[in-house]
Amino acid sequence: MSVGVCARATGPEAVTLLGTGALATLIGARLARAGAAVTLVGTWSEALATIAAAGLAVEDAGGRWTAPARAVRLDEPLEPAGLVIVLVKGQRTAQVARPAAGLTRKDGLLLTLQNGLGPADCLAAVAGFERVASGVA
């Protein structure tokens, strides 16, 4: 029985990624492959349609593979997740800060993997510093 970010005794952990670009696709696919229930949220209609139709496609040293994921528009309702990862362009952080906080469970973690020093502070101003973590991708 696996317990952690990707799976719990009660089933797969819900992980939401804000962004539909290359990094969100790669990280989302790897999380899905590890057993997480992955949803990518964004505004890029073409990417959302592709994900909805074919899942997340990755090509790496092991070859081409796909992983299942849901695709949801930023303005659509969605259940909060235990882990929300922000992978939008830095200039869009302020635009997604409030939706990202709302998509994060009260006991969840809002993780930014964006470049620069400002994204974590921008998210923490809305979600609270205790709920935000940062890294650089």
Side-chain angles (χ1 to χ4, degrees), residues 36-134:
V38 172
T39 301
L40 271 68
V41 177
T43 58
W44 184 14
S45 297
E46 293 85 1
L48 292 169
T50 299
I51 294 164
L56 301 169
V58 174
E59 188 167 339
D60 60 16
R64 183 173 170 77
W65 53 277
T66 61
R70 288 178 59 201
V72 177
R73 287 199 57 81
L74 183 61
D75 56 0
E76 291 179 21
L78 185 64
E79 279 291 313
L83 175 61
V84 175
I85 304 172
V86 178
L87 285 162
V88 299
K89 301 285 186 207
Q91 65 268 25
R92 296 205 52 230
T93 306
Q95 180 184 356
V96 302
R98 191 159 307 285
L103 290 171
T104 308
R105 285 193 328 235
K106 295 297 179 199
D107 65 340
L109 178 66
L110 179 55
L111 172 65
T112 174
L113 294 177
Q114 300 165 277
N115 291 325
L117 300 173
D121 290 337
C122 182
L123 296 170
V126 176
F129 286 93
E130 69 283 351
R131 295 177 61 208
V132 174
S134 65

